[in-house]
Coordinates of all heavy atoms in Angstrom, one line a residue:
T17 N -6.0 -9.3 2.3 CA -5.9 -9.6 3.8 C -6.9 -8.8 4.6 O -7.1 -9.0 5.8 CB -4.5 -9.3 4.3 OG1 -4.2 -7.9 4.1 CG2 -3.5 -10.2 3.6
G18 N -7.5 -7.8 4.0 CA -8.5 -7.0 4.7 C -9.8 -6.9 3.8 O -10.1 -7.7 3.0
I19 N -10.5 -5.8 4.1 CA -11.8 -5.5 3.4 C -11.5 -5.2 1.9 O -10.6 -4.5 1.6 CB -12.5 -4.4 4.0 CG1 -13.0 -4.8 5.4 CG2 -13.7 -3.9 3.2 CD1 -13.7 -3.7 6.2
L20 N -12.3 -5.9 1.1 CA -12.1 -5.7 -0.4 C -13.3 -4.8 -0.8 O -14.4 -5.0 -0.6 CB -12.3 -7.1 -1.1 CG -12.1 -7.1 -2.6 CD1 -10.7 -6.8 -2.9 CD2 -12.4 -8.5 -3.1
H21 N -12.9 -3.7 -1.5 CA -13.9 -2.7 -2.0 C -14.2 -2.9 -3.5 O -15.4 -2.7 -3.9 CB -13.4 -1.3 -1.9 CG -13.5 -0.7 -0.5 ND1 -14.7 -0.6 0.2 CD2 -12.6 -0.2 0.3 CE1 -14.5 -0.1 1.3 NE2 -13.2 0.1 1.5
N22 N -13.3 -3.3 -4.3 CA -13.5 -3.3 -5.7 C -12.6 -4.3 -6.4 O -11.5 -4.5 -5.9 CB -13.2 -1.9 -6.2 CG -13.8 -1.6 -7.6 OD1 -14.8 -2.3 -7.9 ND2 -13.4 -0.6 -8.3
V23 N -13.1 -4.8 -7.5 CA -12.3 -5.7 -8.3 C -12.6 -5.3 -9.8 O -13.7 -4.7 -10.1 CB -12.6 -7.2 -8.2 CG1 -12.2 -7.7 -6.8 CG2 -14.1 -7.5 -8.4
A24 N -11.7 -5.5 -10.6 CA -11.9 -5.2 -12.1 C -11.1 -6.2 -12.9 O -9.9 -6.5 -12.6 CB -11.4 -3.8 -12.4
F25 N -11.7 -6.7 -13.9 CA -11.1 -7.6 -14.9 C -10.5 -6.8 -16.0 O -11.1 -5.8 -16.5 CB -12.0 -8.6 -15.5 CG -12.3 -9.8 -14.6 CD1 -13.5 -9.9 -13.9 CD2 -11.4 -10.9 -14.6 CE1 -13.8 -11.0 -13.1 CE2 -11.7 -12.0 -13.8 CZ -12.9 -12.0 -13.0
R26 N -9.3 -7.1 -16.4 CA -8.7 -6.5 -17.6 C -9.6 -7.1 -18.8 O -10.1 -8.2 -18.7 CB -7.3 -7.0 -17.8 CG -6.5 -6.1 -18.8 CD -5.1 -6.3 -18.7 NE -4.7 -7.5 -19.4 CZ -3.5 -7.9 -19.7 NH1 -2.4 -7.1 -19.3 NH2 -3.2 -9.0 -20.3
P27 N -9.9 -6.2 -19.8 CA -10.8 -6.6 -20.8 C -10.5 -7.9 -21.5 O -11.3 -8.7 -22.0 CB -10.7 -5.5 -21.8 CG -10.5 -4.3 -20.9 CD -9.5 -4.8 -19.9
D28 N -9.2 -8.3 -21.6 CA -8.8 -9.6 -22.2 C -9.0 -10.8 -21.3 O -8.9 -11.9 -21.7 CB -7.4 -9.6 -22.8 CG -6.3 -9.4 -21.7 OD1 -6.7 -9.5 -20.5 OD2 -5.1 -9.2 -22.0
G29 N -9.4 -10.5 -20.0 CA -9.7 -11.5 -19.1 C -8.5 -12.2 -18.4 O -8.7 -13.1 -17.6
N30 N -7.3 -11.7 -18.7 CA -6.1 -12.4 -18.1 C -5.8 -11.9 -16.7 O -5.1 -12.7 -16.0 CB -4.9 -12.1 -19.0 CG -5.1 -12.8 -20.4 OD1 -5.7 -13.9 -20.4 ND2 -4.5 -12.3 -21.4
W31 N -6.1 -10.7 -16.4 CA -5.8 -10.1 -15.1 C -7.0 -9.7 -14.3 O -8.0 -9.3 -14.9 CB -4.8 -9.0 -15.2 CG -3.4 -9.3 -15.6 CD1 -2.9 -10.5 -15.7 CD2 -2.4 -8.4 -15.9 NE1 -1.6 -10.4 -16.1 CE2 -1.2 -9.1 -16.2 CE3 -2.3 -7.0 -15.9 CZ2 0.0 -8.5 -16.5 CZ3 -1.1 -6.4 -16.3 CH2 0.0 -7.1 -16.6
L32 N -6.9 -9.6 -13.0 CA -7.9 -9.1 -12.1 C -7.2 -8.2 -11.1 O -6.1 -8.6 -10.6 CB -8.6 -10.3 -11.3 CG -9.5 -9.9 -10.2 CD1 -10.8 -9.4 -10.9 CD2 -9.8 -11.0 -9.3
A33 N -7.7 -7.0 -10.9 CA -7.2 -6.0 -10.0 C -8.1 -5.9 -8.8 O -9.3 -6.1 -9.0 CB -7.0 -4.7 -10.6
S34 N -7.6 -5.7 -7.6 CA -8.4 -5.6 -6.4 C -7.9 -4.5 -5.5 O -6.7 -4.1 -5.6 CB -8.4 -6.9 -5.6 OG -7.2 -7.1 -5.0
S35 N -8.8 -3.9 -4.7 CA -8.4 -2.8 -3.8 C -9.3 -2.8 -2.6 O -10.3 -3.4 -2.6 CB -8.5 -1.4 -4.5 OG -9.9 -1.2 -4.8
G36 N -8.8 -2.1 -1.6 CA -9.5 -2.1 -0.3 C -9.2 -0.9 0.5 O -9.0 0.2 -0.1
F37 N -9.1 -1.0 1.8 CA -8.9 0.1 2.7 C -7.5 0.7 2.6 O -7.2 1.8 3.1 CB -9.1 -0.2 4.2 CG -10.6 -0.1 4.6 CD1 -11.1 -1.0 5.4 CD2 -11.3 1.0 4.2 CE1 -12.4 -0.9 5.8 CE2 -12.6 1.1 4.6 CZ -13.2 0.2 5.4
D38 N -6.5 0.0 2.1 CA -5.2 0.5 2.1 C -4.9 1.2 0.8 O -5.8 1.6 0.0 CB -4.2 -0.7 2.2 CG -4.3 -1.8 1.2 OD1 -5.1 -1.6 0.2 OD2 -3.7 -2.8 1.4
D39 N -3.6 1.6 0.5 CA -3.3 2.3 -0.7 C -2.6 1.5 -1.7 O -1.8 2.0 -2.5 CB -2.4 3.5 -0.3 CG -1.1 3.1 0.4 OD1 -0.9 1.9 0.7 OD2 -0.3 4.0 0.6
V40 N -2.9 0.2 -1.7 CA -2.3 -0.7 -2.7 C -3.3 -1.4 -3.6 O -4.4 -1.8 -3.1 CB -1.5 -1.8 -1.9 CG1 -0.9 -2.8 -2.9 CG2 -0.4 -1.2 -1.1
V41 N -3.0 -1.4 -4.9 CA -3.9 -2.1 -5.8 C -3.1 -3.4 -6.2 O -1.9 -3.3 -6.5 CB -4.1 -1.3 -7.1 CG1 -4.8 -2.1 -8.2 CG2 -4.9 0.0 -6.8
R42 N -3.7 -4.5 -6.0 CA -3.1 -5.8 -6.3 C -3.6 -6.3 -7.6 O -4.8 -6.3 -7.9 CB -3.4 -6.7 -5.2 CG -2.6 -6.3 -3.9 CD -3.1 -7.1 -2.7 NE -2.4 -6.6 -1.5 CZ -2.7 -5.6 -0.8 NH1 -3.7 -4.8 -1.1 NH2 -1.9 -5.2 0.3
V43 N -2.7 -6.7 -8.5 CA -3.0 -7.3 -9.8 C -2.7 -8.8 -9.8 O -1.5 -9.1 -9.5 CB -2.3 -6.5 -10.9 CG1 -2.7 -7.1 -12.3 CG2 -2.6 -5.0 -10.9
Y44 N -3.6 -9.6 -10.2 CA -3.4 -11.0 -10.2 C -3.6 -11.6 -11.6 O -4.4 -11.1 -12.4 CB -4.5 -11.7 -9.3 CG -4.4 -11.3 -7.8 CD1 -5.1 -10.2 -7.4 CD2 -3.6 -12.0 -7.0 CE1 -5.0 -9.9 -6.0 CE2 -3.5 -11.7 -5.6 CZ -4.2 -10.6 -5.2 OH -4.1 -10.2 -3.9
D45 N -2.9 -12.7 -11.8 CA -3.1 -13.5 -13.0 C -4.3 -14.4 -12.8 O -4.3 -15.1 -11.8 CB -1.8 -14.3 -13.3 CG -2.0 -15.2 -14.5 OD1 -2.5 -16.4 -14.4 OD2 -1.6 -14.8 -15.6
V46 N -5.3 -14.3 -13.6 CA -6.5 -15.0 -13.4 C -6.3 -16.5 -13.5 O -6.9 -17.3 -12.7 CB -7.6 -14.5 -14.4 CG1 -8.9 -15.4 -14.4 CG2 -8.0 -13.1 -14.2
E47 N -5.6 -17.0 -14.5 CA -5.4 -18.4 -14.7 C -4.7 -19.1 -13.5 O -5.1 -20.1 -13.0 CB -4.7 -18.7 -16.0 CG -4.6 -20.2 -16.3 CD -4.0 -20.4 -17.7 OE1 -4.3 -19.7 -18.6 OE2 -3.3 -21.5 -17.8
S48 N -3.6 -18.5 -13.0 CA -2.8 -19.1 -12.0 C -3.2 -18.6 -10.6 O -2.9 -19.3 -9.6 CB -1.3 -18.8 -12.2 OG -1.1 -17.4 -11.9
G49 N -3.8 -17.5 -10.5 CA -4.2 -16.9 -9.2 C -3.0 -16.2 -8.5 O -3.2 -15.7 -7.4
K50 N -1.9 -16.2 -9.2 CA -0.7 -15.6 -8.6 C -0.7 -14.0 -8.7 O -1.2 -13.5 -9.7 CB 0.6 -16.1 -9.2 CG 0.8 -17.6 -8.9 CD 2.1 -18.1 -9.4 CE 2.2 -19.5 -9.0 NZ 3.5 -20.1 -9.4
L51 N -0.1 -13.4 -7.7 CA 0.0 -12.0 -7.7 C 1.0 -11.6 -8.8 O 2.1 -12.1 -8.8 CB 0.5 -11.5 -6.3 CG 0.7 -10.0 -6.1 CD1 -0.7 -9.3 -6.1 CD2 1.4 -9.7 -4.8
V52 N 0.6 -10.6 -9.6 CA 1.5 -10.1 -10.7 C 2.2 -8.9 -10.2 O 3.5 -8.8 -10.4 CB 0.6 -9.7 -12.0 CG1 1.5 -9.0 -13.0 CG2 0.0 -11.0 -12.5
K53 N 1.5 -8.0 -9.5 CA 2.1 -6.7 -9.1 C 1.3 -6.1 -8.0 O 0.1 -6.2 -8.0 CB 2.2 -5.8 -10.3 CG 3.1 -4.6 -10.1 CD 4.6 -5.0 -10.1 CE 5.4 -3.7 -10.1 NZ 6.8 -4.0 -9.9
E54 N 2.0 -5.4 -7.1 CA 1.3 -4.5 -6.2 C 1.7 -3.1 -6.6 O 2.8 -2.8 -6.7 CB 1.8 -4.8 -4.7 CG 1.2 -6.1 -4.2 CD 1.6 -6.2 -2.7 OE1 2.5 -5.6 -2.2 OE2 0.9 -7.0 -2.1
L55 N 0.6 -2.3 -6.8 CA 0.8 -0.9 -7.2 C 0.4 0.1 -6.1 O -0.7 0.0 -5.6 CB 0.0 -0.6 -8.5 CG 0.3 -1.6 -9.7 CD1 -0.8 -1.4 -10.7 CD2 1.7 -1.3 -10.2
K56 N 1.3 1.0 -5.8 CA 1.0 1.9 -4.7 C 0.1 3.0 -5.3 O 0.5 3.7 -6.3 CB 2.3 2.5 -4.2 CG 2.1 3.5 -3.1 CD 2.5 3.0 -1.8 CE 2.7 4.1 -0.8 NZ 1.8 4.0 0.3
C57 N -1.0 3.3 -4.7 CA -1.9 4.3 -5.2 C -1.7 5.6 -4.4 O -1.3 5.6 -3.2 CB -3.4 3.8 -5.0 SG -4.6 4.8 -5.9
S58 N -2.0 6.7 -5.0 CA -1.9 8.0 -4.3 C -3.0 8.2 -3.2 O -2.8 9.0 -2.3 CB -2.0 9.1 -5.3 OG -3.2 9.1 -6.1
A59 N -4.1 7.5 -3.3 CA -5.2 7.6 -2.4 C -5.2 6.3 -1.5 O -5.0 5.2 -2.0 CB -6.5 7.7 -3.1
S60 N -5.6 6.5 -0.2 CA -5.9 5.4 0.6 C -7.4 5.1 0.4 O -8.1 5.9 -0.1 CB -5.6 5.7 2.0 OG -6.3 6.7 2.5
D61 N -7.8 3.9 0.9 CA -9.2 3.5 0.8 C -9.6 3.6 -0.7 O -10.5 4.3 -1.1 CB -10.1 4.5 1.6 CG -11.5 4.0 1.8 OD1 -11.8 2.9 1.4 OD2 -12.3 4.8 2.2
V62 N -8.9 2.8 -1.5 CA -9.1 2.8 -3.0 C -10.5 2.2 -3.3 O -10.7 1.0 -3.0 CB -8.0 2.1 -3.7 CG1 -8.3 2.0 -5.2 CG2 -6.7 2.7 -3.4
R63 N -11.4 2.9 -3.9 CA -12.8 2.5 -4.1 C -13.1 2.3 -5.6 O -14.1 1.8 -6.0 CB -13.8 3.5 -3.6 CG -13.7 3.7 -2.1 CD -14.5 2.6 -1.4 NE -14.4 2.8 0.1 CZ -15.5 3.0 0.8 NH1 -16.7 3.0 0.3 NH2 -15.3 3.1 2.1
A64 N -12.2 2.8 -6.5 CA -12.5 2.7 -7.9 C -11.3 2.2 -8.7 O -10.1 2.6 -8.4 CB -12.8 4.1 -8.4
L65 N -11.5 1.2 -9.5 CA -10.5 0.6 -10.4 C -11.1 0.4 -11.8 O -12.3 0.0 -11.9 CB -10.2 -0.8 -9.9 CG -9.4 -1.0 -8.6 CD1 -9.3 -2.4 -8.2 CD2 -8.0 -0.4 -8.7
E66 N -10.3 0.6 -12.8 CA -10.8 0.4 -14.1 C -9.6 0.2 -15.1 O -8.6 1.0 -15.1 CB -11.6 1.5 -14.7 CG -12.2 1.3 -16.0 CD -13.4 0.3 -16.0 OE1 -13.9 -0.1 -14.9 OE2 -13.8 -0.1 -17.1
F67 N -9.6 -0.9 -15.8 CA -8.6 -1.2 -16.9 C -9.1 -0.5 -18.2 O -10.3 -0.4 -18.4 CB -8.5 -2.6 -17.2 CG -7.7 -3.4 -16.2 CD1 -8.4 -4.2 -15.2 CD2 -6.3 -3.5 -16.2 CE1 -7.7 -4.9 -14.3 CE2 -5.6 -4.2 -15.3 CZ -6.3 -4.9 -14.3
A68 N -8.2 0.1 -18.9 CA -8.6 0.7 -20.2 C -9.0 -0.4 -21.2 O -8.4 -1.6 -21.1 CB -7.4 1.5 -20.8
P69 N -9.9 -0.2 -22.1 CA -10.3 -1.2 -23.0 C -9.2 -1.8 -23.9 O -9.3 -3.0 -24.3 CB -11.3 -0.5 -23.9 CG -11.9 0.6 -23.0 CD -10.7 1.0 -22.2
N70 N -8.1 -1.0 -24.1 CA -7.0 -1.6 -24.9 C -6.0 -2.4 -24.0 O -4.9 -2.8 -24.5 CB -6.3 -0.4 -25.6 CG -5.6 0.6 -24.6 OD1 -5.5 0.4 -23.4 ND2 -5.1 1.7 -25.2
N71 N -6.3 -2.6 -22.8 CA -5.5 -3.4 -21.9 C -4.2 -2.8 -21.5 O -3.3 -3.4 -20.9 CB -5.2 -4.8 -22.4 CG -6.4 -5.6 -22.7 OD1 -7.3 -5.8 -21.8 ND2 -6.6 -6.1 -23.9
Q72 N -4.0 -1.5 -21.8 CA -2.6 -0.9 -21.6 C -2.5 -0.1 -20.3 O -1.4 0.2 -19.9 CB -2.3 -0.1 -22.8 CG -2.1 -0.9 -24.1 CD -1.8 -0.1 -25.3 OE1 -1.7 1.2 -25.2 NE2 -1.7 -0.7 -26.4
R73 N -3.6 0.3 -19.7 CA -3.5 1.1 -18.5 C -4.5 0.7 -17.5 O -5.5 0.0 -17.8 CB -3.8 2.6 -18.9 CG -2.7 3.1 -19.8 CD -2.5 4.6 -19.8 NE -1.3 4.9 -20.5 CZ -1.0 6.1 -20.9 NH1 -1.9 7.1 -20.7 NH2 0.1 6.4 -21.5
L74 N -4.2 1.1 -16.3 CA -5.1 0.8 -15.1 C -5.2 2.1 -14.4 O -4.2 2.8 -14.1 CB -4.5 -0.3 -14.2 CG -5.2 -0.5 -12.9 CD1 -6.7 -1.1 -13.2 CD2 -4.4 -1.5 -12.1
A75 N -6.5 2.5 -14.0 CA -6.7 3.8 -13.3 C -7.3 3.3 -11.9 O -8.1 2.4 -11.8 CB -7.7 4.7 -14.0
A76 N -6.9 4.1 -10.9 CA -7.5 3.8 -9.5 C -7.7 5.1 -8.8 O -6.9 6.1 -9.0 CB -6.5 3.0 -8.7
A77 N -8.7 5.2 -7.9 CA -9.0 6.4 -7.2 C -9.6 6.0 -5.9 O -10.1 4.9 -5.7 CB -9.9 7.3 -8.0
G78 N -9.7 7.0 -5.0 CA -10.3 6.7 -3.7 C -10.5 8.0 -2.9 O -11.0 9.0 -3.4
R79 N -10.1 7.9 -1.6 CA -10.5 8.9 -0.6 C -10.0 10.3 -0.9 O -10.7 11.3 -0.6 CB -10.0 8.5 0.8 CG -10.4 9.4 1.9 CD -10.0 8.9 3.2 NE -10.9 7.8 3.5 CZ -10.8 7.1 4.6 NH1 -10.0 7.4 5.5 NH2 -11.6 6.1 4.8
D80 N -8.9 10.5 -1.5 CA -8.3 11.8 -1.6 C -8.8 12.6 -2.8 O -8.4 13.7 -3.1 CB -6.8 11.8 -1.6 CG -6.2 11.2 -2.9 OD1 -6.9 10.6 -3.7 OD2 -5.0 11.4 -3.0
G81 N -9.7 12.0 -3.7 CA -10.2 12.6 -4.8 C -9.3 12.8 -6.0 O -9.6 13.5 -6.9
S82 N -8.2 12.0 -6.0 CA -7.3 12.0 -7.2 C -7.3 10.7 -7.9 O -7.7 9.7 -7.3 CB -5.9 12.4 -6.7 OG -5.4 11.4 -5.9
V83 N -6.9 10.7 -9.1 CA -6.8 9.4 -9.9 C -5.4 9.2 -10.3 O -4.7 10.1 -10.8 CB -7.7 9.6 -11.2 CG1 -7.6 8.3 -12.0 CG2 -9.1 9.9 -10.9
R84 N -4.9 7.9 -10.0 CA -3.6 7.5 -10.5 C -3.8 6.6 -11.6 O -4.6 5.6 -11.6 CB -2.8 6.9 -9.3 CG -1.5 6.4 -9.8 CD -0.5 6.1 -8.6 NE 0.0 7.4 -8.2 CZ 0.9 7.5 -7.2 NH1 1.4 6.4 -6.6 NH2 1.4 8.7 -6.9
V85 N -2.9 6.7 -12.7 CA -3.0 5.9 -13.8 C -1.6 5.2 -14.1 O -0.6 6.0 -14.1 CB -3.4 6.7 -15.1 CG1 -3.5 5.7 -16.3 CG2 -4.7 7.4 -14.9
W86 N -1.6 3.9 -14.3 CA -0.3 3.2 -14.6 C -0.3 2.7 -16.0 O -1.4 2.3 -16.5 CB -0.2 2.0 -13.6 CG 0.0 2.3 -12.2 CD1 1.1 2.5 -11.5 CD2 -1.1 2.3 -11.2 NE1 0.9 2.7 -10.2 CE2 -0.5 2.6 -10.0 CE3 -2.5 2.2 -11.3 CZ2 -1.2 2.7 -8.8 CZ3 -3.2 2.3 -10.1 CH2 -2.6 2.6 -8.9
D87 N 0.8 2.7 -16.6 CA 1.1 2.0 -17.9 C 1.4 0.5 -17.5 O 2.3 0.3 -16.7 CB 2.2 2.6 -18.6 CG 2.5 2.0 -20.0 OD1 2.5 0.7 -20.0 OD2 2.6 2.7 -20.9
L88 N 0.7 -0.4 -18.0 CA 0.8 -1.8 -17.6 C 2.0 -2.5 -18.3 O 2.3 -3.6 -17.9 CB -0.5 -2.6 -17.8 CG -1.6 -2.1 -16.9 CD1 -2.9 -2.8 -17.3 CD2 -1.3 -2.2 -15.5
S89 N 2.6 -1.9 -19.3 CA 3.8 -2.5 -19.9 C 5.0 -2.4 -19.0 O 5.9 -3.3 -19.0 CB 4.1 -1.9 -21.2 OG 4.5 -0.5 -21.0
D90 N 5.1 -1.4 -18.1 CA 6.2 -1.2 -17.2 C 5.8 -0.9 -15.8 O 6.7 -0.7 -14.9 CB 7.2 -0.2 -17.7 CG 6.6 1.2 -18.0 OD1 5.5 1.4 -17.6 OD2 7.3 2.0 -18.6
Y91 N 4.5 -0.8 -15.5 CA 3.9 -0.4 -14.2 C 4.3 0.9 -13.7 O 4.2 1.2 -12.5 CB 4.3 -1.5 -13.2 CG 3.9 -2.9 -13.6 CD1 4.8 -3.8 -14.0 CD2 2.6 -3.3 -13.6 CE1 4.5 -5.1 -14.5 CE2 2.2 -4.5 -14.1 CZ 3.2 -5.4 -14.5 OH 2.8 -6.7 -14.9
K92 N 4.7 1.8 -14.6 CA 5.1 3.2 -14.2 C 3.8 4.0 -14.1 O 2.9 3.9 -14.9 CB 6.1 3.8 -15.1 CG 7.4 3.1 -15.0 CD 8.5 3.8 -15.7 CE 9.8 3.1 -15.5 NZ 10.9 3.7 -16.2
V93 N 3.8 5.0 -13.2 CA 2.7 5.9 -13.1 C 2.8 6.9 -14.3 O 3.9 7.5 -14.5 CB 2.8 6.7 -11.8 CG1 1.7 7.8 -11.7 CG2 2.6 5.8 -10.6
V94 N 1.7 7.0 -15.0 CA 1.7 8.0 -16.2 C 0.9 9.2 -15.9 O 1.0 10.2 -16.6 CB 1.3 7.3 -17.5 CG1 2.2 6.2 -17.9 CG2 -0.1 6.7 -17.3
A95 N 0.1 9.2 -14.8 CA -0.7 10.4 -14.5 C -1.1 10.3 -13.0 O -1.5 9.2 -12.5 CB -1.9 10.5 -15.4
D96 N -1.1 11.4 -12.3 CA -1.7 11.6 -11.1 C -2.6 12.9 -11.3 O -2.1 14.0 -11.4 CB -0.7 11.9 -9.9 CG -0.2 10.6 -9.3 OD1 -1.1 9.7 -9.1 OD2 1.0 10.6 -9.0
I97 N -3.9 12.7 -11.3 CA -4.8 13.7 -11.6 C -5.7 14.1 -10.4 O -6.4 13.3 -9.9 CB -5.8 13.3 -12.8 CG1 -4.9 12.9 -14.0 CG2 -6.8 14.3 -13.1 CD1 -5.6 12.0 -15.0
P98 N -5.5 15.4 -9.9 CA -6.3 15.8 -8.8 C -7.7 16.2 -9.3 O -7.9 17.2 -10.0 CB -5.6 17.0 -8.3 CG -4.8 17.5 -9.4 CD -4.5 16.3 -10.3
A99 N -8.7 15.4 -9.1 CA -10.0 15.6 -9.6 C -10.8 16.6 -8.7 O -11.3 17.6 -9.2 CB -10.8 14.3 -9.7
H100 N -10.9 16.3 -7.4 CA -11.6 17.1 -6.5 C -11.2 16.6 -5.1 O -10.4 15.7 -4.9 CB -13.1 17.1 -6.7 CG -13.7 15.8 -6.8 ND1 -13.8 14.9 -5.8 CD2 -14.2 15.1 -7.9 CE1 -14.3 13.7 -6.2 NE2 -14.6 13.8 -7.5
R101 N -11.8 17.1 -4.0 CA -11.5 16.7 -2.7 C -12.5 15.7 -2.1 O -12.4 15.4 -0.9 CB -11.5 17.9 -1.8 CG -10.4 18.9 -2.1 CD -10.4 20.0 -1.2 NE -9.5 21.1 -1.7 CZ -8.9 21.9 -1.0 NH1 -9.1 22.0 0.3 NH2 -8.1 22.8 -1.6
M102 N -13.3 15.2 -2.9 CA -14.3 14.2 -2.4 C -13.9 12.8 -2.9 O -13.1 12.6 -3.8 CB -15.7 14.5 -3.1 CG -16.2 15.9 -2.8 SD -16.6 16.2 -1.1 CE -18.1 15.3 -1.0
R103 N -14.3 11.8 -2.2 CA -14.0 10.4 -2.5 C -14.5 10.0 -3.9 O -15.7 10.4 -4.2 CB -14.6 9.5 -1.4 CG -14.4 8.0 -1.7 CD -14.9 7.2 -0.6 NE -14.1 7.3 0.6 CZ -14.6 7.3 1.8 NH1 -15.8 7.1 2.1 NH2 -13.8 7.4 2.8
I104 N -13.7 9.3 -4.6 CA -14.1 8.8 -5.9 C -14.5 7.4 -5.8 O -13.7 6.6 -5.2 CB -13.0 9.0 -7.0 CG1 -12.7 10.5 -7.1 CG2 -13.4 8.4 -8.3 CD1 -11.5 10.8 -8.0
R105 N -15.7 7.0 -6.3 CA -16.2 5.6 -6.1 C -16.3 4.9 -7.4 O -16.5 3.7 -7.4 CB -17.5 5.7 -5.4 CG -17.5 6.2 -4.0 CD -18.8 6.2 -3.4 NE -18.9 7.0 -2.2 CZ -18.8 6.4 -1.0 NH1 -18.7 5.1 -0.9 NH2 -18.8 7.1 0.1
S106 N -16.0 5.5 -8.5 CA -16.2 4.8 -9.8 C -15.4 5.5 -10.9 O -15.2 6.7 -10.9 CB -17.7 4.8 -10.2 OG -17.9 4.1 -11.4
I107 N -14.9 4.7 -11.8 CA -14.1 5.2 -13.0 C -14.6 4.4 -14.2 O -14.8 3.2 -14.1 CB -12.6 5.0 -12.8 CG1 -12.0 5.8 -11.6 CG2 -11.9 5.5 -14.1 CD1 -10.6 5.4 -11.3
A108 N -14.8 5.1 -15.3 CA -15.1 4.4 -16.5 C -14.3 5.0 -17.7 O -14.2 6.2 -17.8 CB -16.6 4.6 -16.8
Y109 N -13.7 4.1 -18.4 CA -12.9 4.6 -19.6 C -13.8 4.7 -20.8 O -14.8 3.9 -21.0 CB -11.8 3.5 -20.0 CG -10.5 3.8 -19.3 CD1 -10.1 3.2 -18.2 CD2 -9.6 4.6 -20.0 CE1 -8.9 3.5 -17.6 CE2 -8.3 4.9 -19.4 CZ -8.0 4.3 -18.2 OH -6.7 4.6 -17.7
S110 N -13.5 5.6 -21.7 CA -14.1 5.6 -23.0 C -13.7 4.4 -23.9 O -12.7 3.8 -23.6 CB -13.8 6.9 -23.8 OG -12.4 6.9 -24.0
P111 N -14.6 4.0 -24.8 CA -14.2 2.8 -25.6 C -12.9 2.9 -26.4 O -12.3 1.8 -26.6 CB -15.4 2.8 -26.7 CG -16.5 3.4 -26.0 CD -15.9 4.5 -25.2
D112 N -12.4 4.1 -26.7 CA -11.1 4.2 -27.4 C -9.9 4.3 -26.4 O -8.8 4.5 -26.8 CB -11.1 5.4 -28.3 CG -11.2 6.7 -27.6 OD1 -11.3 6.8 -26.4 OD2 -11.3 7.8 -28.3
S113 N -10.2 4.2 -25.1 CA -9.1 4.2 -24.1 C -8.4 5.6 -23.9 O -7.4 5.7 -23.2 CB -8.1 3.1 -24.3 OG -8.6 1.9 -24.3
Q114 N -8.9 6.6 -24.5 CA -8.3 7.9 -24.5 C -8.7 8.8 -23.3 O -8.0 9.8 -23.0 CB -8.5 8.6 -25.8 CG -7.9 7.9 -27.0 CD -6.4 7.7 -26.9 OE1 -5.6 8.6 -26.6 NE2 -6.0 6.5 -27.0
Q115 N -9.9 8.5 -22.8 CA -10.4 9.4 -21.7 C -11.1 8.5 -20.7 O -11.4 7.3 -20.9 CB -11.5 10.3 -22.3 CG -11.0 11.2 -23.3 CD -12.2 12.1 -23.8 OE1 -12.9 12.7 -23.1 NE2 -12.3 12.1 -25.1
F116 N -11.3 9.0 -19.5 CA -12.1 8.4 -18.5 C -12.8 9.4 -17.7 O -12.5 10.6 -17.7 CB -11.2 7.5 -17.5 CG -10.2 8.2 -16.8 CD1 -10.4 8.8 -15.6 CD2 -8.9 8.1 -17.2 CE1 -9.4 9.5 -14.9 CE2 -7.9 8.8 -16.5 CZ -8.1 9.4 -15.3
A117 N -13.9 9.0 -17.0 CA -14.7 9.9 -16.2 C -14.9 9.3 -14.8 O -14.8 8.0 -14.7 CB -16.0 10.1 -16.9

């Protein structure tokens, strides 16, 4: 409904996540276009989204310099990581899904 900053496809291509000026990450089913889940992020102005290569987690970050990670099997937050006090604009997972930068 507002400005869109970032989108990310899940590696299997089934889901698309989007974020903008608010603190919500929206996950959509690609085939139907329907909203799957809205995930509350710890940061407002979410600028970075990334699905893990194994399709099991989603990481998001933004203005507050922290990263929130959800487990996509139950949508629970599995980590809130304070990285620094600067805006985070990008996240990349390692190929084995064990780390991100």
Side-chain angles (χ1 to χ4, degrees):
T17 60
I19 293 176
L20 184 66
H21 280 301
N22 201 18
V23 295
F25 279 99
R26 196 167 79 169
D28 65 10
N30 293 329
W31 287 355
L32 174 76
S34 69
S35 65
F37 273 140
D38 58 9
D39 61 352
V40 177
V41 173
R42 290 167 180 84
V43 180
Y44 297 91
D45 179 272
V46 171
E47 187 173 323
S48 70
K50 292 186 179 183
L51 181 68
V52 173
K53 192 73 174 173
E54 288 187 339
L55 303 168
K56 179 109 165 117
C57 193
S58 58
S60 62
D61 189 13
V62 178
R63 299 278 180 119
L65 292 173
E66 184 73 12
F67 284 99
N70 65 7
N71 299 307
Q72 295 177 2
R73 295 203 170 166
L74 173 63
R79 180 174 292 181
D80 73 348
S82 66
V83 180
R84 177 163 280 184
V85 181
W86 295 271
D87 183 311
L88 296 175
S89 66
D90 58 9
Y91 304 106
K92 291 189 179 179
V93 175
V94 294
D96 272 321
I97 302 163
H100 50 69
R101 294 180 191 205
M102 304 290 285
R103 178 177 288 148
I104 297 172
R105 296 180 189 262
S106 182
I107 299 172
Y109 267 95
S110 62
D112 65 2
S113 300
Q114 298 301 306
Q115 300 178 52
F116 60 82

